[in-house]
Amino acid sequence: MDTPSNDITAPEPVTPAQEALTTIALNTGDSRGALDTLADSEVLVPVPDDASEEDAYDPTAVALPVLEQPSGEQVVPVFTTEVEMADLLPFVSRYRVVPLGALASQWPDIDLSLTIDASSPHGLTLDSEDVRTLLARPQD
């Protein structure tokens, strides 16, 4: 009798944020509703390697990891799950969990894009204006 291999891992459950990204990517359903779901979701923000321990865990601020694309565009990568983050940035050892709408409401007023799950088929990149207008939520 053959014994099933334990090397097979169960697929990660799809999060509401990932469902929203898929809806937006496929342009199906209610895009506004999908954006609202996304804005209400928490994302993982990698802590930059050069951030001090104090800056990395300061509850009043988030150090943004900025990556420069070959085109010169600067983007901040965030992720819906640890698996998504590990697919693109396997070397990340520290990250913060942040409500995306809160992050967007404090987005810097510079030319800085946001990319969510960049390496996945449902990835989304927004320019700085779209981050603030489509995802920002008022702070309590």
Side-chain angles (χ1 to χ4, degrees):
M1 181 163 122
D2 290 337
T3 306
S5 171
N6 289 336
D7 293 338
I8 299 173
T9 57
E12 289 284 315
V14 175
T15 67
Q18 290 171 323
E19 288 176 3
L21 286 169
T22 299
T23 297
I24 294 164
L26 298 175
N27 199 18
T28 62
D30 178 12
S31 290
R32 182 71 247 169
L35 285 166
D36 288 343
T37 297
L38 195 57
D40 291 337
S41 299
E42 291 185 330
V43 292
L44 286 63
V45 181
V47 173
D49 290 338
D50 60 351
S52 69
E53 286 298 312
E54 183 180 314
D55 289 342
Y57 299 105
D58 180 352
T60 63
V62 176
L64 297 177
V66 179
L67 303 177
E68 188 164 332
Q69 301 297 306
S71 65
E73 177 186 23
Q74 292 186 321
V75 299
V76 173
V78 299
F79 303 92
T80 56
T81 66
E82 287 180 339
V83 171
E84 291 291 343
M85 184 170 58
D87 282 348
L88 185 65
L89 302 173
F91 53 86
V92 169
S93 61
R94 303 181 296 175
Y95 63 87
R96 301 270 304 266
V97 178
V98 179
L100 183 55
L103 181 65
S105 69
Q106 297 181 26
W107 200 250
D109 195 22
I110 58 174
D111 191 18
L112 185 63
S113 296
L114 173 74
T115 186
I116 307 166
D117 289 353
S119 66
S120 75
H122 60 257
L124 175 67
T125 300
L126 299 170
D127 65 26
S128 58
E129 183 178 332
D130 285 344
V131 171
R132 289 187 298 272
T133 60
L134 298 176
L135 297 177
R137 297 296 181 260
Q139 297 298 295
D140 294 332

